[in-house]
Amino acid sequence: MDKIMNFLEEKVMPVAGRLAAQRHLTALRDAMVLTIPFIIIGSVFLILANFPIQAYLDWMAAHPTVKTTLLYPYNATFNLVALIATFAVAYRLAQSYNVDALATGATALAAYFTVTPFTGFVTGVNPETKANIIVNAMNQDYFTSKGLFVGLIIGIVTTEICRRVIHKNIVIKMPDGVPPTVARSFVALIPGFIAIFVVYLLRVGIEALNRAHFNLFGILDFTNITSIHDIVKVLLQKPLTEVGTSLIGTCVVMILISLLWAVGLHGSSIVGSVMVPIWLQLTSENALATAAGQVPPHIVTEEFRTIIQIGGSGGTFGLVLAMLFLSKSKQMKQLGKLAIGPGLFNINEPILFGLPIVLNPVMLIPFFIVPVIQTLITYFAFDLGLVHMLTGVVPPWTLPPIIQGYLLTGSISGAILQLVMIVVTGLIYYPFFKIMDNKNYKEEKEAETPSNTKKAIVG
């Protein structure tokens, strides 16, 4: 066990630390964090439009205008995450380079609109020619999580272009008397133009390859590719989705989260910077299916992680309950009392660093095992139809368990699933917890013995 701990400290921790501090991953993480409030706001209205009580649903079906109205905020928040993330990743990355973050974020949005394809919509029939009247408009499907990958890539690329142009001093400089706000807008002019022109050439080039039916080594058949969205889907999004959201892939992701926490790094944030865009894409598809009254198609989504991480990463809520009610040592009992409040709202730093679990060879064993067991139980519960599918609703991650399970699935079966997992994970943690509890209890008794002896002698 000492060899494992030394390996974690000497090999894993330095690499993980560098990853956590890497500016592009940090910008991705911050961008995804910014989307969360809007996703939650949209989820509230999605719940109101599809509240899981049959009488309520029947009333909604009889009053479709009410449901349509309730979905307005959902469409204005949940379905704009690609635009929010595009601006945010460029803004945060520009901040790290000390260049104008606001101008860079706006440039990234303009660049994203530049590469996003148009779609023709039939708006009526010409009374003279009897032909359909077609209006070309930007495809708003790409404003949702469907365009999230491209938005993040465009945000990073445009920021790098702007940053390099600015650092080479290829900017318009205004006289000293010009107000700073006006001067900054002119400084952003040339970098912004170059960034947008580059992505414009990219779009024109892809469309030219599409018209030529170009085939790149059998990997990219441009006959079926009309935009960068299609390229990203073929090369990046689809493979990552198929691997990262499979049963085995999800288990690996959960182990990676635990591995990073094992050396004191925020595993959910680091891994989430890569996986959250994938999970949110599938969350959005589940939400669209729910809004349309259909069965949600995906098991592993952003809410899948939420429903299994009861008490936080490692599913530590069962451990907190064991500490609170089954401890013999005063230390463990007191820590259980301190941790039950945060744990109820899925905050487990008091346990991770107070017990501790971090760099603790005893507690790291269940900390790695529990997420895998949770993943297996939850995945098969959905796959076998024992639990209602995740509806695409994303309530606050601090929502207490059982209530959370009910809202995530729109069914009592989700609440029962979380209750079962609390029991199972508590049983897994119990023997390892008792090793520490017995050790602490023995030490407390030994600490009391000299004091008692001294009192007896004095007496």
Side-chain angles (χ1 to χ4, degrees):
M1 185 58 71
D2 289 339
K3 291 182 179 179
I4 294 175
M5 298 308 300
N6 290 335
F7 173 78
L8 289 174
E9 289 180 353
E10 295 174 8
K11 302 296 182 181
V12 176
M13 192 169 184
V15 175
R18 287 194 293 271
L19 281 174
Q22 209 281 328
R23 69 173 77 237
H24 296 88
L25 288 178
T26 300
L28 285 172
R29 180 196 64 206
D30 291 346
M32 299 316 302
V33 168
L34 181 62
T35 66
I36 291 174
F38 299 98
I39 292 171
I40 292 173
I41 292 168
S43 295
V44 169
F45 286 93
L46 185 62
I47 292 172
L48 292 175
N50 299 274
F51 199 77
I53 295 177
Q54 193 56 49
Y56 183 87
L57 293 174
D58 292 341
W59 186 87
M60 276 291 179
H63 301 82
T65 304
V66 177
K67 181 173 182 178
T68 300
T69 304
L70 283 172
L71 291 176
Y72 289 162
Y74 162 76
N75 290 321
T77 51
F78 207 118
N79 284 346
L80 293 181
V81 291
L83 304 185
I84 296 167
T86 301
F87 177 85
V89 72
Y91 187 95
R92 285 301 194 193
L93 188 56
Q95 276 187 327
S96 73
Y97 284 127
N98 293 318
V99 298
D100 191 337
L102 189 61
T104 307
T107 301
L109 270 180
Y112 182 76
F113 291 136
T114 301
V115 299
T116 299
F118 287 81
T119 300
F121 296 94
V122 177
T123 60
V125 177
N126 189 313
E128 297 180 0
T129 63
K130 305 302 182 183
N132 289 334
I133 300 173
I134 299 176
V135 175
N136 286 318
M138 194 167 291
N139 191 338
Q140 295 183 13
D141 285 348
Y142 293 115
F143 296 174
T144 70
S145 58
K146 184 177 180 180
L148 192 56
F149 263 92
V150 173
L152 295 173
I153 293 170
I154 290 295
I156 291 173
V157 170
T158 53
T159 303
E160 289 294 338
I161 293 172
C162 290
R163 189 261 302 186
R164 292 175 187 275
V165 173
I166 292 171
H167 285 179
K168 290 182 181 293
N169 210 25
I170 308 174
V171 296
I172 298 174
K173 294 183 178 179
M174 302 300 289
D176 292 338
V178 175
T181 304
V182 177
R184 282 198 300 270
S185 67
F186 276 91
V187 168
L189 181 59
I190 293 178
F193 177 83
I194 293 175
I196 292 173
F197 187 69
V198 168
V199 297
Y200 161 74
L201 292 178
L202 175 64
R203 176 173 179 173
V204 172
I206 292 171
E207 290 176 351
L209 292 173
N210 172 257
R211 289 191 294 271
H213 304 291
F214 181 74
N215 192 308
L216 181 63
F217 307 121
I219 300 173
L220 285 177
D221 182 4
F222 280 85
T223 304
N224 301 314
I225 290 175
T226 60
S227 71
I228 189 174
H229 292 272
D230 294 333
I231 294 177
V232 169
K233 184 176 181 180
V234 172
L235 294 182
L236 184 62
Q237 183 175 330
K238 188 175 180 181
L240 280 176
T241 300
E242 290 178 352
V243 174
T245 63
S246 65
L247 178 58
I248 294 175
T250 305
C251 288
V252 171
V253 168
M254 296 305 162
I255 290 173
L256 284 175
I257 291 173
S258 295
L259 180 63
L260 290 167
W261 271 118
V263 293
L265 296 171
H266 201 301
S268 294
S269 292
I270 297 171
V271 175
S273 64
V274 177
M275 294 304 302
V276 167
I278 299 170
W279 290 330
L280 278 182
Q281 166 69 37
L282 304 181
T283 291
S284 179
E285 292 177 11
N286 276 10
L288 288 171
T290 299
Q294 301 170 355
V295 178
H298 302 295
I299 293 177
V300 180
T301 63
E302 171 64 4
E303 319 92 272
F304 184 89
R305 179 178 59 156
T306 302
I307 202 171
I308 69 172
Q309 289 186 337
I310 304 171
S313 297
T316 55
F317 191 66
L319 171 61
V320 173
L321 292 176
M323 293 172 63
L324 183 62
F325 295 108
L326 303 176
S327 295
K328 292 193 298 181
S329 69
K330 296 178 181 177
Q331 179 182 339
M332 298 289 267
K333 177 76 72 175
Q334 186 62 34
L335 184 56
K337 291 178 181 178
L338 292 172
I340 187 64
L344 189 63
F345 297 97
N346 302 307
I347 299 169
N348 64 347
E349 276 78 359
I351 291 293
L352 294 175
F353 297 101
L355 185 58
I357 290 176
V358 172
L359 295 176
N360 183 335
V362 175
M363 297 308 299
L364 281 179
I365 296 172
F367 191 68
F368 281 99
I369 294 173
V370 163
V372 175
I373 299 299
Q374 288 176 307
T375 299
L376 293 172
I377 291 174
T378 305
Y379 190 96
F380 285 115
F382 287 129
D383 190 52
L384 297 174
L386 301 177
V387 177
H388 191 278
M389 289 289 287
L390 296 163
T391 60
V393 168
V394 185
W397 59 270
T398 52
L399 202 65
I402 300 178
I403 298 173
Q404 185 185 69
Y406 176 75
L407 289 179
L408 287 171
T409 60
S411 168
I412 193 67
S413 60
I416 294 172
L417 172 65
Q418 284 199 311
L419 182 61
V420 168
M421 283 198 293
I422 290 171
V423 174
V424 171
T425 56
L427 291 174
I428 296 172
Y429 273 114
Y430 181 76
F432 300 93
F433 144 74
K434 286 307 292 181
I435 292 173
M436 291 191 65
D437 185 45
N438 290 335
K439 179 175 177 293
N440 290 341
Y441 182 72
K442 182 179 179 181
E443 290 175 352
E444 289 172 359
K445 287 298 182 184
E446 290 176 351
E448 292 174 1
T449 302
S451 176
N452 293 334
T453 304
K454 185 176 180 180
K455 287 180 180 178
I457 294 172
V458 172

